[in-house]
Amino acid sequence: MKKTFSNTYIFVYSAVLVVVAALILTVVSVSLKPSQEKNQQAETKQMILKTIGIDATRDNADELYAQNIKESSLNGNDYFTFPGGVIIPLKGTGLWGPIWGYLAFDDGGSVKGAVFDHKGETPGLGGEISSDKFASRFIGKQMCEEPIHLKKNADKDNPYEVDAISGGTMTSNGVTAMLATAYEKYSDVIPCYEDCEAISALMMEEEEQ
Amino acid sequence: MKNTDLIKLPFSKNNPILVQVLGVCSCLAVTAQLKPAFVMAISVTVVVALANLIISLMRNTIPPRIRIIVQLVVVSTLVVLVDQVLKAYVYDVSKQLSVFVGLIITNCIVMGRLEAFAMVQKPWPSLLDGIGNGLGYSVILIVLGAVRELFGSGSLWGFPVMEKLGLYRIGYENNGLMIMPPMALILVGLIIWWHRSKNKELCEQ
């Protein structure tokens, strides 16, 4: 009952199969690319808007982005400004692949909002960095003198510590590394409480004079 | 075997996780919470069903010596294809699914069913077998996801059940072990134990 197949048949069969599969995937990938890219761009804009508390839908993201966000750059590092603060992009690697995010600072230097996302972290563990619950832990923190780092049982009152994800240690370490890199790049851009103090000290001096 | 059995048996007597012990790896990986478990369950069901159908249609032309490779090509093409389409038209669903793509391709249930069933059966029973096994897998995944999220994170589908019940105020704490993969293995073991004690004929002598 078992059929036998010649070597030639096997070679031709596998070659045809692979070519057909590749063709299907190529055609699909090329034909769907424009709408995929549009979705991705809209998503990036949605993420950036979310850090300053604007919930945009995919349809109005372009418009709201144009109204609220300006793109700037310092020494070739791109960042964004909004009325009342700056937004810095974050890029790094988690356990399984790239992770990224945006961090918005108000003029006072404290974090106004954060968003994170990932390509392939384990759902329910490291993947939790994309949740609102995790992002909200950053609100009110600052990156004035050192980068924010993730820590188990972080001190809520310490402005540089954020609670790490239980079961997602490797991804949490990735987030910490990502924040450190961003701090190196953007420390001149990130507003600082000290600036405010310095400015108010200056103003006091001027008043005294 | 009757066609209805193809759907019914995988739920209990021939459950892919409990009896065939297939697909355990993904079952440990994605059940820390209910929602990803649910997405994974649906995705695997769709993929097993379609892959079973396609392989069954091709079965007489596949040379046995390279059958595994052929199956793998079909499954991965299918999964990537579905992911691409979702990315273009239902972006949010695709975001949920993206991390699972690799896990679906390597899911032992898919390969197991192709090897054991679709290679030797007609297309219609193969499709049913795929759906049945997918659903049998789904049941276990959803149970595990619910238990692990409830006791590990104190919530269900993201809804903070334990907090609403006020259990934290009287000293209740989430069980950290629940969200670690080993706990899923222990839970699967417990379910298998319970299942075998109900179905004595499954026990090996």
Side-chain angles (χ1 to χ4, degrees):
Chain A
M1 158 93 201
K2 213 168 193 181
K3 268 199 277 182
T4 50
F5 294 89
S6 69
N7 283 346
T8 326
Y9 179 86
I10 293 178
F11 275 114
V12 173
Y13 189 88
S14 45
V16 170
L17 181 76
V18 171
V19 169
V20 168
L23 259 179
I24 295 175
L25 289 182
T26 315
V27 169
V28 170
S29 162
V30 168
S31 58
L32 294 181
K33 195 145 210 175
S35 47
Q36 287 177 355
E37 272 173 359
K38 211 172 129 226
N39 280 336
Q40 270 154 7
Q41 278 164 5
E43 198 206 9
T44 306
K45 289 181 179 173
Q46 277 178 299
M47 278 179 84
I48 294 172
L49 286 167
K50 204 172 168 193
T51 60
I52 55 169
I54 299 177
D55 268 326
T57 64
R58 194 148 297 143
D59 300 322
N60 65 12
D62 271 331
E63 195 187 327
L64 286 168
Y65 184 86
Q67 282 169 9
N68 292 288
I69 310 286
K70 282 200 180 66
E71 290 168 12
S72 313
S73 111
L74 176 83
N75 305 331
N77 297 320
D78 294 330
Y79 67 99
F80 310 90
T81 57
F82 63 95
V86 299
I87 303 168
I88 58 165
L90 310 166
K91 272 197 189 79
T93 42
L95 173 58
W96 304 117
I99 53 176
W100 61 93
Y102 295 92
L103 212 50
F105 296 90
D106 61 25
D107 283 335
S110 58
V111 175
K112 186 177 163 70
V115 284
F116 295 93
D117 210 346
H118 61 94
K119 173 91 184 160
E121 300 307 295
T122 317
L125 301 175
E128 284 297 283
I129 59 165
S130 59
S131 68
D132 291 344
K133 195 177 148 199
F134 176 71
S136 67
R137 293 178 193 169
F138 284 80
I139 293 171
K141 304 288 173 185
Q142 51 165 305
M143 291 243 272
C144 193
E145 283 156 0
E146 50 177 298
I148 298 171
H149 62 273
L150 268 57
K151 206 182 151 208
K152 203 176 167 187
N153 301 323
D155 177 5
K156 277 214 169 71
D157 300 325
N158 186 332
Y160 298 106
E161 279 182 12
V162 166
D163 230 349
I165 299 161
S166 36
T169 309
M170 300 292 279
T171 310
S172 298
N173 291 346
V175 174
T176 300
M178 174 165 84
L179 290 163
T181 318
Y183 177 74
E184 262 173 45
K185 274 193 194 168
Y186 295 105
S187 54
D188 293 338
V189 179
I190 299 167
C192 208
Y193 279 127
E194 278 185 345
D195 287 350
C196 307
E197 281 164 22
I199 292 166
S200 53
L202 264 176
M203 280 167 67
M204 294 232 308
E205 270 178 9
E206 274 173 18
E207 271 175 36
E208 278 167 19
Q209 282 165 5
Chain B
M1 205 190 281
K2 280 190 302 189
N3 279 349
T4 45
D5 281 350
L6 292 173
I7 296 276
K8 236 166 42 189
L9 278 182
F11 274 97
S12 171
K13 296 259 168 70
N14 196 21
N15 188 284
I17 293 179
L18 301 183
V19 181
Q20 304 172 37
V21 199
L22 293 175
V24 176
C25 359
S26 60
C27 152
L28 307 189
V30 301
T31 53
Q33 286 177 351
L34 190 53
K35 202 173 169 187
F38 190 75
V39 176
M40 183 68 174
I42 294 179
S43 327
V44 168
T45 307
V46 172
V47 172
V48 187
L50 289 181
N52 256 8
L53 179 67
I54 293 173
I55 287 292
S56 174
L57 287 170
M58 293 166 68
R59 71 187 186 283
N60 290 327
T61 68
I62 300 175
R65 268 193 279 172
I66 57 161
R67 63 182 193 285
I68 303 278
I69 301 170
V70 173
Q71 292 162 9
L72 204 59
V73 170
V74 169
V75 174
S76 37
T77 310
L78 202 61
V79 174
V80 176
L81 200 68
V82 170
D83 185 52
Q84 291 281 324
V85 173
L86 293 179
K87 222 178 240 164
Y89 298 112
V90 240
Y91 193 71
D92 299 307
V93 180
S94 127
K95 291 230 34 151
Q96 287 283 327
L97 196 70
S98 61
V99 285
F100 298 102
V101 169
L103 286 170
I104 298 169
I105 296 172
T106 53
N107 194 309
C108 314
I109 294 178
V110 181
M111 299 291 280
R113 291 327 292 171
L114 294 180
E115 225 358 51
F117 201 92
M119 283 299 285
V120 290
Q121 297 280 351
K122 292 215 171 76
W124 176 241
S126 294
L127 179 66
L128 291 179
D129 178 79
I131 295 172
N133 275 281
L135 293 177
Y137 170 79
S138 305
V139 170
I140 306 296
L141 236 69
I142 288 166
V143 169
L144 281 181
V147 171
R148 288 181 69 196
E149 187 178 348
L150 184 62
F151 294 105
S153 314
S155 56
L156 270 181
W157 203 273
F159 180 80
V161 179
M162 296 299 192
E163 197 185 315
K164 294 275 186 247
L165 289 174
L167 286 176
Y168 294 123
R169 265 176 281 135
I170 55 169
Y172 174 83
E173 273 193 40
N174 287 328
N175 183 346
L177 187 57
M178 272 290 175
I179 53 174
M180 307 302 284
M183 197 60 201
L185 191 62
I186 295 170
L187 287 175
V188 172
L190 290 174
I191 297 175
I192 292 180
W193 183 11
W194 167 81
H195 186 249
R196 300 262 156 134
S197 70
K198 293 272 172 202
N199 299 281
K200 287 275 183 342
E201 70 275 18
L202 293 174
C203 299
E204 281 138 31
Q205 295 304 313

